[in-house]
Amino acid sequence: SASQQLYNRICQLMREKQPYTDSDLNRDSLAQMLATNYNAVASAIRECGEGQTIGVFLDDWRIRHAAQLVAATNNPVGLIAKQSGFSSRSHFNSLFREKFKMTPSEYRNIAKEKAGK
């Protein structure tokens, strides 16, 4: 369907260009990158992304990106939150805890233990 095709394009854009790392990215700038309007983007994400809003969708990409950086680098968590497109450290922390059931520091320690084995 058209929605599925657009959703695939959105995900491809996320993987290749990582626009979500810009905290100023919003539904209008995202739609502009895809040469469409934000209603089309919103409905494609809602239909193909398990009912997600654009904000939840972007946060999901951001938090997964952040988790990779937490596991792979020694960068301070605040910097990683910023590099992943979060403008609020507290929003980042609560989302991280919600998704991974632990703090970024705990996540990093577990990743280091796994890497060391």
Side-chain angles (χ1 to χ4, degrees):
S1 71
S3 280
Q4 186 64 56
Q5 284 175 335
L6 179 56
Y7 184 76
N8 293 345
R9 279 180 49 221
I10 296 166
C11 292
Q12 184 180 3
L13 175 73
M14 294 293 147
R15 278 191 302 276
E16 291 174 4
K17 301 238 189 311
Q18 300 184 326
Y20 54 82
T21 59
D22 177 359
S23 62
D24 292 331
L25 179 70
N26 60 32
R27 61 188 195 181
D28 294 311
S29 50
L30 182 58
Q32 214 170 8
M33 286 176 201
L34 294 153
T36 185
N37 64 59
Y38 78 79
N39 287 326
V41 172
S43 58
I45 289 172
R46 195 171 42 251
E47 281 176 43
C48 305
E50 297 160 12
Q52 290 179 316
T53 62
I54 292 176
V56 169
F57 176 83
L58 292 176
D59 278 350
D60 195 51
W61 279 89
R62 287 175 173 143
I63 208 71
R64 285 183 289 156
H65 180 82
Q68 288 177 322
L69 292 177
V70 167
T73 72
N74 288 318
N75 293 350
V77 173
L79 177 64
I80 288 173
K82 224 180 171 59
Q83 290 173 327
S84 302
F86 289 98
S87 46
S88 152
R89 174 82 186 260
S90 60
H91 180 60
F92 166 77
N93 284 334
S94 60
L95 262 182
F96 199 98
R97 226 179 246 119
E98 190 182 302
K99 184 160 182 81
F100 299 106
K101 309 288 181 245
M102 62 183 87
T103 67
S105 305
E106 291 167 331
Y107 189 88
R108 174 173 279 160
N109 291 337
I110 290 171
K112 282 203 169 115
E113 278 171 30
K114 282 184 183 160
K117 283 185 180 148

